Structures are given as C-alpha cells and as structure tokens.
Amino acid sequence: MTRIAAVQASPVFLDRDATVGRVCARIAEAGAAGAKLVVFPESFVPGYPDWVWTVPAGRGAILGALHAKLLANAVSIPSDATRRIGEAAREAGVVVAVGVTERNDEASGGTLYNTLLFFDDHGEILGRHRKLVPTGGERLVWAPGDAVGLRAYDTSIGRVGGLICWENYMPLARYALYAAGVEIYVAPTWDHGEVWLATLRHIAREGRAFVVGCSMAMRLDEMPADLASLYPPGREWINPGGSAIVAPDGKVLAGPIDCREEILYAEVDLDAARGAKWDLDTAGHYARPDIFDLRVDRTPRRLLNDK
Amino acid sequence: MTRIAAVQASPVFLDRDATVGRVCARIAEAGAAGAKLVVFPESFVPGYPDWVWTVPAGRGAILGALHAKLLANAVSIPSDATRRIGEAAREAGVVVAVGVTERNDEASGGTLYNTLLFFDDHGEILGRHRKLVPTGGERLVWAPGDAVGLRAYDTSIGRVGGLICWENYMPLARYALYAAGVEIYVAPTWDHGEVWLATLRHIAREGRAFVVGCSMAMRLDEMPADLASLYPPGREWINPGGSAIVAPDGKVLAGPIDCREEILYAEVDLDAARGAKWDLDTAGHYARPDIFDLRVDRTPRRLLNDK
Amino acid sequence: MTRIAAVQASPVFLDRDATVGRVCARIAEAGAAGAKLVVFPESFVPGYPDWVWTVPAGRGAILGALHAKLLANAVSIPSDATRRIGEAAREAGVVVAVGVTERNDEASGGTLYNTLLFFDDHGEILGRHRKLVPTGGERLVWAPGDAVGLRAYDTSIGRVGGLICWENYMPLARYALYAAGVEIYVAPTWDHGEVWLATLRHIAREGRAFVVGCSMAMRLDEMPADLASLYPPGREWINPGGSAIVAPDGKVLAGPIDCREEILYAEVDLDAARGAKWDLDTAGHYARPDIFDLRVDRTPRRLLNDK
Amino acid sequence: MTRIAAVQASPVFLDRDATVGRVCARIAEAGAAGAKLVVFPESFVPGYPDWVWTVPAGRGAILGALHAKLLANAVSIPSDATRRIGEAAREAGVVVAVGVTERNDEASGGTLYNTLLFFDDHGEILGRHRKLVPTGGERLVWAPGDAVGLRAYDTSIGRVGGLICWENYMPLARYALYAAGVEIYVAPTWDHGEVWLATLRHIAREGRAFVVGCSMAMRLDEMPADLASLYPPGREWINPGGSAIVAPDGKVLAGPIDCREEILYAEVDLDAARGAKWDLDTAGHYARPDIFDLRVDRTPRRLLNDK
Amino acid sequence: MTRIAAVQASPVFLDRDATVGRVCARIAEAGAAGAKLVVFPESFVPGYPDWVWTVPAGRGAILGALHAKLLANAVSIPSDATRRIGEAAREAGVVVAVGVTERNDEASGGTLYNTLLFFDDHGEILGRHRKLVPTGGERLVWAPGDAVGLRAYDTSIGRVGGLICWENYMPLARYALYAAGVEIYVAPTWDHGEVWLATLRHIAREGRAFVVGCSMAMRLDEMPADLASLYPPGREWINPGGSAIVAPDGKVLAGPIDCREEILYAEVDLDAARGAKWDLDTAGHYARPDIFDLRVDRTPRRLLNDK
Amino acid sequence: MTRIAAVQASPVFLDRDATVGRVCARIAEAGAAGAKLVVFPESFVPGYPDWVWTVPAGRGAILGALHAKLLANAVSIPSDATRRIGEAAREAGVVVAVGVTERNDEASGGTLYNTLLFFDDHGEILGRHRKLVPTGGERLVWAPGDAVGLRAYDTSIGRVGGLICWENYMPLARYALYAAGVEIYVAPTWDHGEVWLATLRHIAREGRAFVVGCSMAMRLDEMPADLASLYPPGREWINPGGSAIVAPDGKVLAGPIDCREEILYAEVDLDAARGAKWDLDTAGHYARPDIFDLRVDRTPRRLLNDK
C-alpha cells in the first residue's frame, strides 16, 4: 500500500515565489505524513486567473495589466522556482505533480501555458504537459499546448500521468494516457461539484486507475482588492475545493471536501488495481484496434526551428 | 421541448415473441404519454443471458443447451419480430431504440451479437449497432461486432445514437458518436449503481448530449426454474434497474429508479443543449485534430466476401 | 482597369436569411455600378458576435443562449444561403468574398468557424477559409480553422485571396498568400482606426497587392434590445466601419469612411501592380528561400476519418 | 520606464573615421540625456551609397571608383572603428545599434555587406546582422547576408533586435525576430514617408514591440561635389529623415521629423508591452505551429571552409 | 562528326510570341543545314533587358513599367511558347538550348529568372537552369536561381550543359558541369569582345569540352523608341554579337562575328575531345578530391512547401 | 601604383647553385628598376625537367640517372640556396616568387615536388606551395603536393598568391586563392602560346586580380649535350617563353614576349582592382555559398606522424 496526497490549498495569488514557498511547505508536510505522491491544483503557481470568467474581453486595459502581472509571475522551466520545488521533492522523498502557469521562454516570451509539471522523488523534472485546450474564458490567457507531455512517467510508486481540468473531457487525450499505462491519474482542476466528481469516478473505472482530483480552496479576500472588486458582493469562496481521490472501481477513497484547506490522503494498492483490468482494459483487451486507429502527433509545436 | 422515455421493464425471459409483445405494448403506452423516443434495455429481446456470470465455462452441457435456446429466440433482422416493433413505432409515432440478441443469419447462423436496433417514427429500421466488445462472461455468448452501425441517425426529434453497456467505457467509440453529432445518446445496459450513474452523467457533459441509461428491472423468479436454481438463495432481484435520464450539463433529469418496472420520462430542449456547446464541444472546438487523428474502419466484418 | 467594391454595411443581426437578402441586394447594386469584385465584412452573415467582448465568460447561461441562436443562424456550406449568394453573384457577374459564421456540419454540429467564403462570377463557390486564430474574446464562439482554404483563386479579375481581421497580423499566413500570387487581397474585419489602416497600407506594399479592408458600420440600436442592454449607455456605433482600399504602393485609393453605410469603389490596374514588383516581391526575388524554409500543413483538420 | 533614442543625423560622407567620430559624439550626447539605447541609421558609417539609385549600372568606371572608395572606408569587424564605438557605448552606458557598410575580410575582401551592428552597454559587440536582401539599386554594392545575426540580444534594457530598411518587408525575417522575443525592434533605414511610417506602426502592433525607425537627414551639399553633380539640380535633401518611435499598440511616441538633424527620445515601458500580448502574440498564442513549420538555416554562408 | 550551330540574331524586343516565331524559324533553318544542336543567346526570348545598365535604379516609374512589360512577355514553363519551340525542335530533329526570361509562376508570379532552357530532338523539355547570380544591373530584373538545373543532359549528340554569361566566371559552377561530364558546353551571353573570347577558350581547355558562345546582334533602332531615347546618341549597335565556337584544346572553330545576324556552324568530334582528357581532366585525374570537398545543395529553393 | 616584374630567363640547367646566382642577379636588377615583386618561372631552380616529355618511361636507366642528378640539384627548404635568395630579396627590397624543384627532406629524401616559394621583402620565407597535380609526363618526376601552401600572403604590396602551370586549370584551387583575397596572382609555368594567354586573361577577370604569367625562354643548346641529343634536330627553343602580365579586367599590361630573355614590368593599381569587384567578386557577392560548400583539407600530407 502506498499513501498518496492531494493538497487542497490556496496560493499567494499572483506571487510566484511566495506560492512556491507554500508548495515546498506542503510537500514537506505530506512527506512527513508518509505520502509518496503529492498533487497540487491546476495553475497553483501563481494562482488560477479566475478573472477570465469575470472581466469581459473588451476591457483590454485591465486584461493587459493582469497579463503582464501573470507573465511576470509565471514559471519558466527550468528556473529557480522549479529548482526549489525539486529540492523539496527530493528532501521529502516524494513524487510531485503541480499545476503552474508557464511562460513560453523558447519563443516570444509573451505567451502562457497551463502546465502540469512532474518531479520524481529525486527532485528531477520528469516532464511537463501543456493543457491541450483551454476552456472558454481561459482562452484569453493560455495558449493551446502540444502532445509532447501527453504521457505517463515510471516512478517509484507506479506509472503516473494526468490531464488538467476539462481536458479530462477529451476522450482521445484520456485514451492516450490509458494506452501509456497510467496507474495513478492526476486531475488538477478548477472545477468542483457533483458532476465533476462523477467524472472522476467515471475516469477511474474507465481507466482502471486511481484518480486524484485536486482543486484550490480559495476565498475572495485572498485576491488583490482591485480584482476582488470585480466580483459580485456577498461571495466568500472563489472556489470551495472539492478535491477527491477515487479507486479504479469508481469508489471514492477520500473527499470531496469543501471550503477548507486540507491535505487529503488515500492508501492505494496498485496490484489490486491491475487485477481489476480482467474485465475492463480500455486500451487493452477492451479496445478494438482493428476499428479504431488513433494516431497522435507528438512533435513539438515549435514556433521556429533551426535547420 | 420533446418528451423522451426509458422503459425499465422485464422481458418474458428467453421468449422472443412474447417479449416483442411487451415491447409493442410499452411503445404504445409511452407514445400515448407523449413520448417521441422510447428506449429499451440491452438485449431486452429475448432477455439478457445473465447465466454467463453464474455458470462456469467448464459446464459445457448447460451452456450448450442455453445457447440453443437463445439462438432459437434470437432476433433476425429483418424478421417478423422487427416488423412488429416497427409497426408499433409507426402507430405510436415514436422513434425506438431497443436492445436485442441478434443471430448472424448472413453467415453461419450459429453466432449471436448484442445489438442495438433503431426504428424511426415511420416504423423503418434506421440501422443496427453490434456491440463492439462483450464484457467478461458475455464473451461466452456474443461475438464482437463491427463499426457499420457506429453512427447517429437524423430523426424527427434530433440526432440519435448510442452504445451498449460497457462499450460506454470505450473512449474512442463514444468520440465517434460525438463526431457524428449525437444529440440524444442512448445507453441500454445491464449495469446499474452509483458508478454507472456517474458514467451516465460524465458522458452527458462530455458529449453535451442527453443520455438515456436504460436497464431491466428483473426478479429472479422471472427466470426459468432450472436457471434460477443456479443462483444463491435469498436473492430477489437479478437486476434492480437503475435507469436514468441525464441532461447535457450532467444534471439528472429522471431516475435512477430501482426495484420496479416503470417508464421514465424527461423533457429535452435540444436548442439549449446546442448552446451548451459554447464551452465544451468534444468533437468540435474542444478537440485537437492536429494532434489526434482518429481513423475508423467502418467496413463490415464479413465472414466471406465475394470478389 | 477593373472596378472593385467594399460593402460597408450592417447585417440584420443574427438573422441569417434576412442578412443574405442584404448581401444579394448589395451585390446587385455594386454589379450595376460596374464592380467586378464585391467584398463584405467579417462574419457579415449573420453578424459579428460582438458580445464576446462584453459578456464575461463566466455568464454561461447568456453565452449558451446566444450560442444556440448563433448556431441556428450560422451558414452551412453548401446550403440555401450559399446558393442564394451564388445566384446573386452570377446574375451580377461579380466575384464575391463574404465573411460568414459557419457551422461544422461535418462533425459535432455544435462548433462555429469564422469563415471567408469566395464565389466566382458564375456563382460557384471557389472555396472557404476558416480563420486560423480567433482573437481574444472571439475564442468563446469560434474554433480555430485549418489551412485548406489558405490560398488565392484565379478569377476573371486576377488572383484573389485574403485573411480575416487579426489573422492579418500573422506573418506566415500572409506570406502563404503572397507565395500563392495574390493580387487582390481582401481583409474583412471588425477592426478599424488608424493603426488598422496602417496595417492595410503595410500589407499592400509588403504584398504588392491591392488590399480591400472591409468592416461593418453598425449602430447599437440594430442589436436585439436584450443584447444592447449589456453595453454601456451613450454608445451609438458598435462599429463605425473604417473600410478602405489601398494600392500596391501603399497609397489609399478609397476610404476610410466612418459612421455610415456605403459601398466603396476603386479602379485597379493589375499590370501596374505587377510592375511594382520590380523592387519588392516578398515571395519572389525579395525572399531568401535558402534561409527560410516554410512548410505549410494543408491537410484538413478532420475530427474523425473513415478509413 | 526606459529612455531610448534614435539619432537622425548625417555622416561625413564616405569618411569612415570622421563619421565614427560623429557616432561617438551622438552616443555621448544621448547618454547624457538619459538614453539607454541609441540607434543610428542604415549604413551610417560611412554613409549610404545613394549613387546606386542615380548612376546607371552601365557606367562601370564611375561605379568602380566609388566601390573602391567605399571599400576603403568600409568597416571591418573588429577594427579600430568598432573599438571606438564600443568605447563610447561603454562610457555612456548605453546599448548601441548602428548601421555600417562592412567589408568581407573573411574572404575576397572585395565584397560589402549592409550590416547592423549591436554593442552592449559595456562596449562589447553583441553581434552583427548582414542585410538579407539588398533592394533594387543596392544590389550594385551590397551582397546578400546570412542568418547568423538574425536574432535578438538580451541587454540591460530588454531584448533588442532589428532588421534593415526593406528587410522589414520580409514577413519570415520579422517572424524570426518575434520568435526570438524581441522587445525593442530597431529599423535603421533609408526609407521615409507615410507608407514607411505605416509599416513601422504595423510592425509595432504585429510584434507587440517598440519600434525605432531611424534614417539620416542628409543634404545634397554634404556629398562630394562630383557625386552631387550627378543629381538633378534644385534638390536640397538627399534624405529628409522621417525617423520615428512607435509603441507596441501602434501609437507613435516620437517623430516623424523631417529636414533636420535631431535625436528623438521616447520612454518605453516593457511591462506594459508584455501585457499587450494578451490578445496578440504573433510567435506565441497567435501562431499556428501545427500548420506553419518555419525552419531557419542559420549556418554561416562561408565562401570556403577549412576541413 | 556532328554539326552544331550558334544563332547570332536579334529578338523582336519585348514581344515573346513574335520572338518565339524567330526562334522556330532559325531552328528550322539550322536543322535544314544539318545542325544537330542549335544554341540561342541569353534571354533571347523576349530580349535582354539592357535598360538595367542605362536607367538608374532610382527611376522606379520607368523600371516598374518596363518590369510589367517584361513580366507580361516572360516565358512560363511549360506554356504555349515552350510548346512551340519544342515542336520546332522535333520537326527539325535538333537539340535546342535557348535563353529566356522566365516568370516564377510557382510562387508570387512577379519575379523573373534568367533561364537557359533545353529541349531534346523529340521536342521534350530536358530541363532549365536559372542563372545563379545576375550581374550588376541585372539584379534589378532577375532573381538568383538555384542548382536544380545545374547539370548536363544526355542527348543524341552527347552530353550538353551550360551556364549563362558571367556565371561562366563562377569556378564552382563550371566545376559542377565538368563533374557532370559536359561535352558540349553552351554559354549564351550578352558579353562580347576579346576577354570574353579568352574566357571561352579557357573554358574549352579547362573543361576539355566544345564551347558555344552565343550572343545577340542587335541594333539600337530595334528597341522601342522610348527606350532607345535613353541611350546616348550615335550608338548603332546595342550589342555587336561576338558569338564563337571553340574546340576542347582552346582553338577557335567558328567566329567570332560582329555586327551582323548569322548562324555559325562547326563540326565537332566528341571522340577526339574525350581523348584529349589524357593530360587534363579537371573533374577527373586532374582533381584532388582528398583536398577539395565540394558539396552542392541541389534542393529547389521553394518559396513555400506543402507538408 | 606599384611596379611588378616577371623574369623570363633561362636557368643554368640542372645546376642549382649557379642558377641561384642568376636568380639573385635578376632580383637585384629588377629591384633597381623599381620593381616590388619579382616572379620567376616554374622550377626555375634547377630548371624544368623537360625530358619527361621526351624520354619514354621505359628507359629506366636514363630516367634514373637524370633523377639522381635532379635530386642532387634540388632545393631543400631551408638551405643555403633559400638563404641566398632571401638575402637578395632583402637587399633589393622586393617580394619574390620562384619556382623550384624541392626535395622531400622531411621523409625519404628521394621524392621531388614542383614548388612555388615565396619570400617577403625582408628576405623571410612566407611559405611554399607544392603543385597539387603534376601534368602528364611530369608525374615521372614530381609527386603531388598538399594544400598547406594553398594561400595568399599579406605583403607590403598587397595580397600575393599563385598556382603552378596547369594547376591553373583547377577551378577549385583557383577559387581557394580568390577566397583568400589574392590581389596579385602569380602563375609560373612551362606553358605558352595563345590558349595559355587566354587562360591568363580569363583568370585575371575571374579573380579580379593582376596575373603574372612567367615562363622560361630556353634554347635547346642550353641543355647538356646528352639530353639535347634526345630531341629531334632543327629545334632551337625548348621553350620560347610567352610571359605576360594581365590586369583584373583582362587587359594585357605587358608581354607576351617570345624567344628572348627579358624582365617584363607592369604598373599595378590595387585600388582600381578592388573597385572592379563591384560587378564581379568570385569569392564574394558573385558566389553562391548557400549552394556551393567547398571544404578544403589543409592538413599536411605527412608520410609519418608522431602521435
């Protein structure tokens, strides 16, 4: 049995370095509690740009200023921010999956991705996955990613992979992870509620994997006052949380919890999960490769190539 | 607004013609109640061969006898059985989706398929879908189908399609239906319970479609005594039911109901469903066709081809 | 000398069929005035969804309802709407380029594209170009297109092609048109103002082509009242227009005009334009193909392929 | 806020060493005025060979003599001339971009390039860019360059890069700079006038960069009398200037000025520029790397390679 | 012994179709005289744009108008013009090498190449070579070509190849032809005089090939009057000719002739030429491949590639 | 203007030391006449082994005896012979290029090279070039050299380099000198006549360099009687000479002279030569380094290498 953890917490909004501090502290705390995998929410560093749902696209001056702020606090890979997280992972001896807003330093430097970043328990970066399709208002801040990181990583605790928020509604993307043999499937998100929980349970059974749903618990008063003023009055929680951990048979092992910060823990037994594939193995005996020929273009989407 | 119906009922077990009588009666009843679509459970005609989960595969004599019985009561397409159902659909003015066990009359005549059969409201057969992958014990009675019927049909009430039971855990098969523009997605099944309900809700949101989960409510004493005797004592319901209708946002519109026969009804508003695609359209703006190239081989799996 | 026209006009907002009537009338009017090419604004049929700049993405109910309305009034290709426009083009003997919101009937039917549709003077559809990258708020209604229509068409009045609105800020897309030998470059848009005009002039010189910038002149009171109520009071023009026609040397031949509907005309001399390439031919002697190797993937972005 | 400067001035025509003196003096002057970047016109050292537009190619004796004179006054890199400019940059603490005519000392020694030379504020040479395609008559004196210097440099005031004169009409070359993350884009030139200004404004918006257009203000009587006699009488200004500085939204911050020598200044706010990329990032979220695959051959174009 | 011919003649200046008529007539005449190879001057169709040496680059209006005229009379490959020449070659049973100004129909359509076009004696196009480096003023009308056509063709009379005018001063280009085994080396040109003749003789010996120098004999009064007026008075011949045929030992077999139109003939003995390589074979025993490693990039310089 | 000289003279055949005396005398004479560069013929010391063209290779005894004699009179570098020449150069203040037969003292001591030896005006050896490919019969006495000395030397009178006799028909070797910026190109030779003169003129224009062709004027009676007896009767001149000096435009400045010993002089103006590169610079703007990638292996061809 392996203990895994989902950190339902709040960032220091739009402050990368302070938020990385929180990441490192939570890694240490969960590691001390025996966890071998620690998952953080979508865009935890430096916070989820929730304004995309509140500020109309026509208000360019506000959006531009927020974009500059977000760019300045975005995560470059690698950078001091990633080195600090890696160091915390190494010291705690845990695998880490953390959502960040990443800057495209390899090209214009002005574009952001919604990225899921993986570290092994030696603190090395395993890889990064850039969210393939941002949802609705998110398209105002994040660019679509590529399939370079659409994979599962062999770690000391099994094969770990995941998708971000509503990417989890992309059947072909999920199938790609199943075909990669994912055993612990992390789903950092900004979504919550009963339909989202249903999705976590569905995925667990469909993929015969442990699923870790992980979202922020964040109050409105944690936002800068000028941003907060754009919200209707009387709202306390920007996001109540709803993190949960589900077993490969669809049973909920931990959570969901709402309206508080907390680290969820669950014990996972990969051997049992593997056995459950006897009657359903979506990318195995339960597929029809003679009928469905899925081809994934994994080439990086570079903006310029040197010959 | 359009009324749609899911018939949670019991067949006359292993009696095709009597069960077809029940199908026609329920069509008339639902039509009279204003329904424009009526959905029946998986293999409703002539009943779900639940013995595959109870009789060990080593007991060839029993399995052989049951197979002969099932073959004799299977549905040929077309046949009197299908003509009777079509007539009922025409008289009631409803679209019908009904699960049947179908015999491969086009070849050996000794093989069965788990088939979903569609009629339009003029009583014409729209098409049939043979379940692509039978689950676990089902592989003792049903052969795998092909992709000829993996489609959605334009009907008077919108675009209708569906998959059977755990086929609904095949991401690529579901995606094929989304790409066909399915608006009302039927999911006849033998499954039930909270994880299955979670799956119905997930599919509804993923596909931005109305989902009709439809299963039998069947008691042990409706089985022939010799078959029933193979079950452990004290069990009343072979299958309690669990049928439900879900909206494109994942909300449950009707059901689930357990341990009784009943026709579930729900009112569906396709325009609202289409509008909901603004933020999620799995086989539209929320896909990544540049990354995922899914090719479906729709050629019939003929057992012999004339040149 | 050939006369070309840019129609700065207003649609019947969100009413496809009535707007197509206006398109046909304007084609007839311009044809009677001697024009051989008639250009309409971006998404003229059934109007530009300006709400994407005004309604925050978080207001899903409003956006969903508007999406359903827009879907219902979107243009399918081909359809009666396109046949009517083609007929008008044929009768007037003009080439037509018109912006439409197009529905993805080939897949989910729930996704929209911002499409530029070309007709020849026999009324045949030459092709369609789906905008490659919607801008900011537009990403809430339009999906990104592919490169199938990234081309120029040989017509009776020269080689005609174009891009939509801020696509015109994509250097690689423009280059593809130059490499296709575009001579009359149409730029339907929702943008206006002096920087946009500078862009039209730049493109004209860069591409040594005639450039037709064409935008709507539309007042707020032409919107449905419920939509109009979302705008700040005191605003008369949703878009003042700013259409203009520019010569290959960057000189403005007609326009820009603001705050009125009008058909702009200009006389173009393709021979003079071709001669102007002596000192600048961006996709000719002024390129460096030994250094820049641009490869364009023109495969359609299908959401599902039959094998 | 950072102050940047464009020096609209006149060289000591065809006198390299005296012109370098002017360069150094202007660097000191601008540095004293607070500028952190100082840009000089195209081929400022030792002057723009305007005769290529006036002397027909058939007059080889005149052209040969002028070529010898230009060769003798061309800039070798490195050389005393570059050391003097570097020293001035170091003393003033400014980044310098200066257009020079460069001799190919690495090969025949008889060929010239139109080169843009960058110094950092420590006086070190950052790199050089040889104009890729000389325009029209310029092909009589300058050879085409390579892509070695087609880059942006990280400097103390942001990322600086640029192209020379009508190279700015090469979409692929500009795109390469955007992909390199250029923030301050210098455009030394011999062009001027309203279309050129439109181009500067277009580039600023397209690249979301500050653009510094910089040209000479030079009178005919500053040319040697024998050269001046080749011009039609009555012409006072060989080039009136037209230098200007434009913001990333296309607004003109300084200039254009004509018919006088002057140092233009503008204050630039890179953070604001970065934020402006939220709705347009040509080599970021507004690109389509899945469609456009641009490969740049950056190998030096050596005339001979030792093995 | 094989008879070969060089046509020293004048085009119908800037009239492609009439000049093609002259080409065909000369082919017939030479064929009737027993020639098996007929060579025409550089850019014979539709004439050499000699104005590039007379009109300064600054006179854009004149140059632009001339460019348009030249574009309109340029040769597309294939086209009616090439079909007519091919037909003449077939009828006369001769191999033809003819200089043309070619339009880049594969890209912008606005750029021209100085092309040497080869036909076999069945009238089929063997290939085309686009001049690699236009000379001086020529850079105002022709773009640099690529190495696709830098080859020799096996014909019924031996291996034929060639370079255009001052390309013949490119040692590496000549070497490429020697390495291709050229036996009859054609050198269409606009040059003439004793140094050019020395070059023809040098190449003959260096390459151990027969060399056919072929230039126009054209009087000023054959130019349109407006163009002619740009020349100094008193000049009769724009180009006196100077065509000549040289043997592999450097001896002059025919010509040079000046100030008249005429077809030069010479008898060539390829066997003797091959034997002469015993003491000099530049791309054979007289090379030093251990020291000189020449790599030729023969990839087409496409301006855009479909993926 | 600089005066340069070509010494057309005769050696003391096969007598190294006496011939060196003649070299020193001629250097003094030319220096006194104002020359700054003095060029001597191919293998002037100790004479050109013309017997290779007269004695059949089968006559080993004769060839062996002559080889021994030639070895004994060959030049070692450095040696007294080279020191004497250097001293003469220093005293006269001239640059010297002299052809010698060199012995391979660095290895077997039994092999000879046809070497071109350069001295600066301080008497220092600049370098030596060993002929890369001996011609025909020469292969009986000289071995092929390497590319160590394939270069041009910066001297007080410009950049000086050269090749020996028919090496001048090696396009790649000449190109290497052009790429090294050669300005005065020396061509010591045994060839003569009108084709050779054509080659000198061609090279001058091709390389835009001054070319000094220099050959011996030697009578048959200057040979030892036994050698002379091998020649057919009636021949007076073994080599009549034919030395000449040519300008970068191909014009002959001095010579050719035949059948007498004489020092040719010419005045050269390097500035004019450099200007002439405006329209042709073979290893500059008139090259195509993107197409032709020439790699030269300059490693010495050592016969044994210490590790």
Side-chain angles (χ1 to χ4, degrees), chain C residues 1-4 157-158 183-184 208-210 245-249 253 266-276, chain E residues 65 68:
Chain C
M1 302 289 280
T2 304
R3 171 168 281 204
I4 63 176
I157 55 155
E183 293 173 319
I184 304 178
R208 286 297 192 216
F210 292 93
I245 304 178
V246 187
D249 57 3
L253 297 177
E267 314 295 320
V268 308
D269 174 359
L270 290 184
D271 275 342
R274 287 166 189 145

Side-chain angles (χ1 to χ4, degrees), chain C residues 159 175-176 178-181 271-272 274-278 281 283-290 292-298, chain E residues 57-60 63-65 67-68 71 104-111 113 140 142-144 301-307:
Chain C
R159 205 166 278 190
Y175 181 87
Y178 304 151
D271 275 342
R274 287 166 189 145
K277 288 194 173 171
W278 83 272
D281 190 9
H285 66 80
Y286 217 100
R288 284 295 300 271
D290 57 318
F292 299 110
D293 174 10
L294 177 60
R295 303 175 183 200
V296 176
D297 186 346
R298 297 185 183 279
Chain E
R59 301 193 65 179
L63 290 170
H67 196 69
L71 266 174
N104 73 334
D105 286 312
E106 76 278 13
S108 71
T111 281
Y113 294 104
L140 304 181
W142 289 315
R301 293 293 185 243
R302 295 195 195 287
L303 291 159
L304 188 86
N305 286 291
D306 285 352
K307 250 191 153 169

Side-chain angles (χ1 to χ4, degrees), chain F residues 10-22:
Chain F
S10 186
V12 185
F13 198 68
L14 291 184
D15 181 333
R16 175 188 56 226
D17 296 335
T19 302
V20 167
R22 288 196 182 173

Side-chain angles (χ1 to χ4, degrees), chain A residues 119-138:
Chain A
F119 296 85
D120 69 17
D121 52 4
H122 303 293
E124 300 299 317
I125 292 175
L126 287 164
R128 66 179 164 191
H129 169 63
R130 290 169 164 179
K131 191 179 184 179
L132 295 173
V133 183
T135 306
E138 296 176 358

Side-chain angles (χ1 to χ4, degrees), chain D residues 272-304:
Chain D
R274 287 165 189 147
K277 287 195 173 170
W278 83 271
D279 62 358
L280 184 66
D281 189 10
T282 304
H285 66 79
Y286 217 100
R288 284 297 300 273
D290 58 318
I291 289 177
F292 299 110
D293 174 10
L294 177 60
R295 304 173 184 204
V296 176
D297 185 345
R298 297 186 184 280
T299 53
R301 293 290 185 248
R302 297 196 195 287
L303 291 160
L304 188 85

Side-chain angles (χ1 to χ4, degrees), chain F residues 131-151:
Chain F
K131 190 179 184 180
L132 295 173
V133 183
T135 305
E138 294 176 359
R139 294 173 189 178
L140 304 180
V141 289
W142 289 316
D146 59 25
V148 169
L150 187 66
R151 40 177 307 215

Side-chain angles (χ1 to χ4, degrees), chain D residues 43-132:
Chain D
S43 191
F44 189 70
V45 186
Y48 179 90
D50 189 64
W51 65 78
V52 301
W53 301 100
T54 307
V55 180
R59 304 193 62 181
I62 295 178
L63 290 170
L66 286 164
H67 196 69
K69 176 89 172 163
L70 189 55
L71 266 174
N73 282 277
V75 175
S76 295
I77 301 174
S79 64
D80 278 346
T82 62
R83 277 185 287 274
R84 286 172 65 198
I85 299 173
E87 179 67 9
R90 191 186 62 73
E91 286 181 2
V94 301
V95 175
V96 171
V98 56
V100 304
T101 285
E102 181 197 358
R103 195 165 69 182
N104 74 334
D105 287 313
E106 76 278 12
S108 71
T111 280
L112 298 166
Y113 294 104
N114 183 335
T115 293
L116 179 53
L117 184 56
F118 293 90
F119 296 85
D120 69 17
D121 52 4
H122 302 292
E124 300 299 317
I125 292 175
L126 288 164
R128 66 178 165 192
H129 168 64
R130 290 170 163 179
K131 191 179 185 178
L132 296 173

Side-chain angles (χ1 to χ4, degrees), chain A:
Chain A
M1 302 289 279
T2 304
R3 172 168 280 205
I4 63 176
V7 177
Q8 179 163 306
S10 186
V12 185
F13 197 68
L14 292 185
D15 182 334
R16 177 189 53 226
D17 296 335
T19 302
V20 166
R22 289 197 180 170
V23 168
C24 295
R26 290 298 198 174
I27 288 171
E29 175 187 349
K36 296 299 178 200
L37 169 72
V38 186
V39 181
F40 289 86
E42 180 183 14
S43 191
F44 188 71
V45 186
Y48 179 89
D50 189 65
W51 65 79
V52 300
W53 300 99
T54 307
V55 180
R59 303 193 64 180
I62 294 178
L63 290 170
L66 287 164
H67 196 69
K69 177 88 171 162
L70 188 55
L71 266 175
N73 282 278
V75 175
S76 295
I77 301 174
S79 64
D80 279 345
T82 62
R83 277 185 287 272
R84 286 172 63 198
I85 299 174
E87 179 68 8
R90 191 186 62 73
E91 287 180 3
V94 300
V95 175
V96 172
V98 56
V100 303
T101 287
E102 180 197 359
R103 195 165 69 180
N104 73 333
D105 287 311
E106 77 277 13
S108 71
T111 281
L112 298 166
Y113 295 102
N114 183 336
T115 294
L116 179 52
L117 185 55
F118 293 90
F119 296 85
D120 69 17
D121 52 4
H122 303 293
E124 300 299 317
I125 292 175
L126 287 164
R128 66 179 164 191
H129 169 63
R130 290 169 164 179
K131 191 179 184 179
L132 295 173
V133 183
T135 306
E138 296 176 358
R139 295 172 188 181
L140 304 181
V141 290
W142 289 315
D146 59 25
V148 170
L150 187 66
R151 42 176 306 213
Y153 301 98
D154 276 317
T155 74
S156 54
I157 55 156
R159 202 167 282 188
V160 178
L163 297 174
I164 303 166
C165 201
W166 277 23
E167 267 190 323
N168 288 294
Y169 291 112
M170 297 178 74
L172 307 187
R174 290 204 311 278
Y175 183 87
L177 287 189
Y178 305 151
V182 66
E183 292 173 319
I184 304 178
Y185 180 116
V186 304
T189 186
W190 186 246
D191 198 2
H192 54 90
E194 61 179 20
V195 182
W196 175 251
L197 183 64
T199 286
L200 296 178
R201 300 180 76 176
H202 168 84
I203 294 173
R205 192 193 255 182
E206 183 181 80
R208 287 300 193 217
F210 292 94
V211 174
V212 183
C214 185
S215 187
M216 298 184 205
M218 179 171 158
R219 290 190 315 280
L220 184 57
D221 61 16
E222 293 176 277
M223 272 195 180
D226 52 348
L227 249 183
S229 71
L230 298 169
Y231 286 78
R235 183 165 170 195
E236 182 182 357
W237 289 90
I238 290 291
N239 191 323
S243 303
I245 304 177
V246 187
D249 57 2
K251 288 198 189 116
V252 179
L253 297 177
I257 50 170
D258 276 336
C259 300
R260 68 173 185 277
E261 297 196 35
E262 181 179 320
I263 304 183
L264 272 79
Y265 295 100
E267 313 295 322
V268 307
D269 175 358
L270 290 184
D271 276 343
R274 287 166 189 146
K277 288 195 173 171
W278 82 271
D279 63 358
L280 183 65
D281 187 10
T282 304
H285 66 78
Y286 216 100
R288 284 295 299 273
D290 58 320
I291 290 177
F292 299 110
D293 173 11
L294 177 60
R295 304 174 184 201
V296 177
D297 185 346
R298 298 185 183 278
T299 54
R301 293 292 185 245
R302 297 195 194 286
L303 291 160
L304 189 86
N305 286 290
D306 285 352
K307 251 190 154 169

